[in-house]
Structure formats: C-alpha cells, structure tokens
C-alpha cells in the first residue's frame, strides 16, 4: 500500500480525503510528470558522479527510472494521497527498490527546487511548440500576401472607410505583429531556460553537488543564481503569460475582423465550414464560431496572467505554498493560447477572400479623397492644409467632381483650380483606388513593388526564427539522449 513517505517523521495521523484533495497538485502535475523523471535522472547522475550515492544504490535507481521512462509513470504515483507528483514518483521508487536505495535520491534536493526545475522544463517545451505554431501562421500570412499583392481593398480607421490598401498589406500587418510575439516569447525562453536545481529548499545545500552538470544534462543554458530567488521566482511564468496575453490580443483583433468580414453586410471572406457552426433553429445560419471562441479565449489567457500576478504579488521570500495555485493558471493560459494559434492558422489558410467585393468597397465613403488632396499639393503647388480643406468641402457637398472642387477652391482659398490646369480626368485618376495604392510606394506601404520587398524580408526573418527553434529543440533532444545514455550505463545495460 503506497503512502506519503514525507509525512512519516514530523506529522502524525492521516489526512481526510477532502484535505488531501485540497492540498494536492496532482491535477496540474500531470503536465510535469515526465519533466520530473528527467530531473530525477539528472540528479541521480550528479549524485553518482560526486560519489554522494553508492554504485549499487545508483544502479537500482537508474534501472527503476529507466523503466518509468520506457513504460510510463505508474498510475499509483498520481494518487492524491501524495501531495504532488514528486512525492508520488519517490514513493514508487521506494516501493520498487526499497527505502535503503529509494530513500537516497532526495539527498541535497528539495521539492522546492525540484518543482521549479520541472516547471521551467515544461514551459520551455510549450514556448517552442507555440513558436512553431506561430511560424506556421506567419508562413500562411506571407503566402497569402504573395497571392493577394494586387488585391485592392478598403482600409479602415475608426471602423470607417479611410484609404484604399491591399489585402496583402493588411495580412502582412498581422504577420509583423505575430513576429513581435515570437520575439517576445523567444526572449522569454532565455530567462525560462535557467536551472534552479541545486537551490534545495532555498538556502542551497552543504553537500558538494555539481549544479553545472545537472544544468547540462537537462539542456539548460544557464543557472538560476541566488538560491532563494531560484525556488521562489515565478516571473518566468508571468513573463510567458504576459507574452501570450499580448499575442492573444492580436489574435482577438484578427478574429474580430474575420467575424465582420464574413458577415452578409461585408462579404469579404468565406470561412471554411470546418471552422463554423450553424443554428439549432435557423437553418440558414453559418456562424464563425471558432473565431468567436478564440476572441473569447483572449480573455481567458489575460485572466490567467492576472490571476498569476495576484498570486505572487504579496508573497515574502522565499518559497510559499501559494505558488502551487499559480501553476494551473499557467497551464490554462498556455493551453488556450497554443490551441488558438494552431486553429487560426488553419482558418486563414482555408479562407476564401472575395476580391471583387473588396475592390467594390475600396472607394466607398470617399476613401480616395486623401490622394486627391495629395495630388493638389504635388501637381498644383497648394499647401496641404489648403488642399485638405478644399477636398473636405467638396466631400461635404456630396460628390467630388471638377465643379465641386472648383467651387470649394474659390470658397476655401479664393483660387481657381481650373486655371491651374485641374481636369475631370485628373480627378478621376486621383480617385481610382488602384492608382491610390500604386502611389503609396514608400517602405511599409501597400504598393505592389513595396509589398514584394516586404514579403522577401518577412520570409528571411521567418527563416531565421525557424532555424533558432530547430537549434533549441536539438539542444534539448541531445541533452535528453545523453541523460538516458548515462542512466543506461549506470543501470548496467
């Protein structure tokens, strides 16, 4: 019969099921169980190297850990009679190899540095997975931008028609936003990937451990320095959730536009049926439910971040059990953000954009008026504010024609634009959405040549980001292989 071996010395009696459940972190610990196995292996390898554990005991423990690595952690380790998975795995080891050997693994270690290490291992894996999904999404956006570099559409400010742009320009705006999200997560990874192992409860240990060895075996780049901060710092979790909250804000904005664009009012896009639902009563309905749920989960992730911040804001140094309540918020935020990015990528990739409808709307609401004002400045020598006022007064009359612009010129500035050479044909060309877009040929603009340059640049940035992800994944994989190989040698295999 398994039992909580940690309580045996200091505490008496058994807990009620209610209290055991209340204190247990097992539900959240499923996500770090495999990480805990790696931490046990690395700690055992270090104890053996430092001659802090005998070869016979190390051999038994290595063989038992390898069995869990190969066959999976026994279900009994997740029983809530143990407060957490760390105690659960230790209990299984003691049951398998005996207390004489199994009771030695926790030498020079606390659950405090153990859980902090496990969390960082899992979070770095999650960051790399989300970065990979972000790369896929960014790749889809860049590909669609190539396809739609000449697709003219209305651009909006205040949700009002503003100036014509292209769908490529619009999509690349989101690609750059998601690229910055990738930068934030990649930068957070550097601070996540630091090893707390060896900090023990908070004051380190008097045993001659080798923290650099466990750092290397677990694929960490650096050590967490101060041992108090190492066990109690959760800013790596806050930083990750913060970056994901910002990312999901961009996701939510994109979803808001897809919801509007797919409406019968707008008809800019048709989302694939896979990402939509229908009504239980209205047979004609096609609702953009994935986009709506995703927009809602932006709040879920932001809520997880806020809850995590509140959890730690009043805690004194160093470790406090309150930190256990932060972990479910961390997993919740990561889970919803990760799923959202993967689904958004597919939703965009399968969407069908209505080029004709976008072009039809591109000059509505006098959205090309700015280009006419610019034309009056460039070709007829007017100050911009004068040109702005003249075109604004023409718009106020309800139409932009040579007659209304000429009248506005007399009224607003006392000038004749006819005498300056303005013609109906020049006004028509200035108000043509395609001409307007072509004129915006400075870096960052929607002109087709500029967009082609932007696509080449964004593709290079994406390729560099993908190479970084591969490099980090390779480092972790190599560390795991080395660690398992050491266990096999220790176990005599």
């Amino acid at each position: 019969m398994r039992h909580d071996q940690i309580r045996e010395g200091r505490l008496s009696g058994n807990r009620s099921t209610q209290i055991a459940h209340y204190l247990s972190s097992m539900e959240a610990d499923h996500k770090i169980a495999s990480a805990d196995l790696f931490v046990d292996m690395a700690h055992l390898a270090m104890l053996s190297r430092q001659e802090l554990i005998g070869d016979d005991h190390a051999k038994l423990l290595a063989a038992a850990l390898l069995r869990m690595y190969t066959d999976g952690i026994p279900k009994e380790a997740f029983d809530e009679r143990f407060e957490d998975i760390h105690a659960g795995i230790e209990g299984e080891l003691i049951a398998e190899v005996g207390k004489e050997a199994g009771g030695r693994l926790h030498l020079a270690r606390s659950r405090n540095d153990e859980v902090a290490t496990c969390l960082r291992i899992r979070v770095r894996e999650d960051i790399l997975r989300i970065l990979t999904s972000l790369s896929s999404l960014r790749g889809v956006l860049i590909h669609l931008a190539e396809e739609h570099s000449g697709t003219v559409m209305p651009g909006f400010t205040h949700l009002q028609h503003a100036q014509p742009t292209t769908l490529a320009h619009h999509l690349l705006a989101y690609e750059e936003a998601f690229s910055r999200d990738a930068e934030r997560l990649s930068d957070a990874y550097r601070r996540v990937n630091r090893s707390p192992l060896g900090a023990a409860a908070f004051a380190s240990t008097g045993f001659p451990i080798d923290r650099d060895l466990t750092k290397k075996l677990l694929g960490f780049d650096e050590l967490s320095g101060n041992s108090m901060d190492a066990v109690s710092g959760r800013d790596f979790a806050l930083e990750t959730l913060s970056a994901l909250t910002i990312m999901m804000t961009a996701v939510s904005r994109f979803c808001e536009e897809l919801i509007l664009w797919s409406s019968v009012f707008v008809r800019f896009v048709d989302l694939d049926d896979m990402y939509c639902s229908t009504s239980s009563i209205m047979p004609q309905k096609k609702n953009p439910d994935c986009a709506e749920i995703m927009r809602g989960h932006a709040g879920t992730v932001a809520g997880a971040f806020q809850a995590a911040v509140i959890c730690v804001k009043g805690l004194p140094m160093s470790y406090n059990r309150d930190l256990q309540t932060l972990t479910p918020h961390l997993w919740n935020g990561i889970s919803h953000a990760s799923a959202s990015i993967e689904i958004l990528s597919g939703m965009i990739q399968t969407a069908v954009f209505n080029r004709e409808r976008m072009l039809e709307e591109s000059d509505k609401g006098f959205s090309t008026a700015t280009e006419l004002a610019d034309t009056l400045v460039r070709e007829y020598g007017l100050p911009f504010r004068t040109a702005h006022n003249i075109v604004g007064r023409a718009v106020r009359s309800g139409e932009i024609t040579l007659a209304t612009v000429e009248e506005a010129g007399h009224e607003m500035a006392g000038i004749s634009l006819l005498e300056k050479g303005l013609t109906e044909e020049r006004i028509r060309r200035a108000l043509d959405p395609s001409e307007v877009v072509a004129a915006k040929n400075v870096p960052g603009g929607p002109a087709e040549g500029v967009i082609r340059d932007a696509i080449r640049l964004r593709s290079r940035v994406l390729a560099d980001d993908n190479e970084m992800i591969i490099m980090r994944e390779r480092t972790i994989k190599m560390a795991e292989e080395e660690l398992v190989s050491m266990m096999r040698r220790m176990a005599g295999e």
Side-chain angles (χ1 to χ4, degrees), residues 116 225 426:
R426 187 65 192 91

Side-chain angles (χ1 to χ4, degrees), residues 7 35 136 274 287 326 332 359 400 417 466:
R7 290 177 56 86
S136 296
M274 182 187 305
N287 301 323
L326 179 151
N332 194 37
L359 180 60
I400 299 178
L417 289 165
N466 285 334

Side-chain angles (χ1 to χ4, degrees), residues 207-227:
F207 292 98
I209 63 172
D210 185 348
R211 293 191 67 197
D212 282 314
L213 176 60
T214 53
K215 176 200 78 174
K216 176 176 176 290
L217 291 174
L218 291 171
F220 285 107
D221 296 325
E222 301 176 40
L223 290 174
S224 296
N226 183 281
S227 58

Side-chain angles (χ1 to χ4, degrees), residues 471-488:
M471 180 186 68
R472 285 173 167 170
E473 289 176 336
R474 185 183 300 129
T475 298
I476 293 171
K477 184 63 176 175
M478 288 173 61
E480 179 183 339
E481 290 172 353
E482 171 66 14
L483 180 57
V484 173
S485 178
M486 287 186 71
M487 288 296 102
R488 296 196 191 286

Side-chain angles (χ1 to χ4, degrees), residues 344-403:
L344 179 59
S345 182
M347 185 161 59
I348 298 300
Q349 189 171 26
T350 56
V352 177
F353 294 93
N354 190 334
R355 300 169 191 257
E356 293 75 19
R357 178 65 182 144
M358 288 179 168
L359 180 60
E360 178 187 339
E361 283 290 321
S362 62
D363 64 347
K364 296 291 179 63
F366 299 100
S367 68
T368 54
T370 303
E371 182 57 27
L372 177 57
D374 290 346
T375 298
L376 297 181
V377 173
R378 282 194 302 264
E379 299 181 19
Y380 302 97
L382 272 63
F384 176 76
R385 187 54 60 206
T386 300
H388 181 279
N389 289 338
I390 289 172
V391 175
R393 182 53 57 90
V395 168
R396 183 174 168 181
S397 74
E399 59 179 349
I400 299 178
T401 63
L402 181 59

Side-chain angles (χ1 to χ4, degrees), residues 170-444:
H170 202 116
L171 294 173
L172 288 179
Y174 279 107
E175 191 283 326
E176 289 206 30
F178 290 129
S179 176
R180 292 193 299 276
D181 292 319
E183 286 180 31
R184 275 184 284 270
L185 284 167
S186 183
D187 198 46
Y189 182 95
R190 291 174 46 243
R191 285 174 286 280
V192 169
N193 204 33
R194 296 173 180 170
S195 175
L197 196 59
F202 79 92
S204 74
T205 177
F207 292 98
I209 63 172
D210 185 348
R211 293 191 67 197
D212 282 314
L213 176 60
T214 53
K215 176 200 78 174
K216 176 176 176 290
L217 291 174
L218 291 171
F220 285 107
D221 296 325
E222 301 176 40
L223 290 174
S224 296
N226 183 281
S227 58
M228 292 182 73
D229 177 57
V231 300
S232 63
R234 291 296 184 271
D235 49 294
F236 73 90
L238 300 184
E239 185 176 8
T240 301
L241 286 172
S242 172
L244 294 179
T245 297
I246 296 170
M247 181 189 78
M248 287 299 292
T249 301
V251 168
S252 183
R253 294 181 68 188
F254 203 174
C255 287
E256 174 73 8
E257 292 192 326
L258 292 173
I259 292 165
L260 290 171
W261 290 4
S262 65
S263 69
V264 176
F265 293 111
V266 181
R267 292 182 287 119
F268 283 179
V269 68
D270 184 17
L271 300 176
D272 191 277
D273 288 357
M274 182 187 305
Y275 300 94
C276 300
S277 298
T278 189
S279 167
S280 62
I281 187 173
M282 296 171 283
Q284 83 282 5
K285 294 299 295 296
K286 180 179 178 179
N287 301 323
D289 283 16
C290 279
E292 292 175 347
I293 289 289
M294 208 172 293
R295 187 175 56 180
H297 278 317
T300 303
V301 178
F305 170 55
Q306 182 68 11
V309 169
I310 296 301
C311 174
V312 300
K313 75 171 187 64
L315 298 184
M317 282 291 179
S318 53
Y319 185 82
N320 297 271
R321 191 67 180 269
D322 312 47
L323 293 176
Q324 178 178 305
T325 67
L326 179 151
T327 306
H329 299 302
L330 176 62
W331 302 147
N332 194 37
I334 288 173
S335 173
H336 285 98
S338 178
S340 295
I341 290 297
E342 291 179 12
I343 292 172
L344 179 59
S345 182
M347 185 161 59
I348 298 300
Q349 189 171 26
T350 56
V352 177
F353 294 93
N354 190 334
R355 300 169 191 257
E356 293 75 19
R357 178 65 182 144
M358 288 179 168
L359 180 60
E360 178 187 339
E361 283 290 321
S362 62
D363 64 347
K364 296 291 179 63
F366 299 100
S367 68
T368 54
T370 303
E371 182 57 27
L372 177 57
D374 290 346
T375 298
L376 297 181
V377 173
R378 282 194 302 264
E379 299 181 19
Y380 302 97
L382 272 63
F384 176 76
R385 187 54 60 206
T386 300
H388 181 279
N389 289 338
I390 289 172
V391 175
R393 182 53 57 90
V395 168
R396 183 174 168 181
S397 74
E399 59 179 349
I400 299 178
T401 63
L402 181 59
T404 59
V405 172
E406 175 69 4
E407 182 179 350
H410 284 291
E411 183 178 350
M412 301 303 298
I415 60 173
S416 170
L417 289 165
L418 271 170
E419 292 177 2
K420 289 180 176 290
L422 183 65
T423 65
E424 195 78 63
E425 168 61 18
R426 187 65 192 91
I427 291 175
R428 185 196 65 75
R429 285 194 293 113
L431 298 179
D432 184 319
S434 297
E435 295 276 343
V436 173
V437 168
K440 305 299 189 346
N441 61 358
V442 298

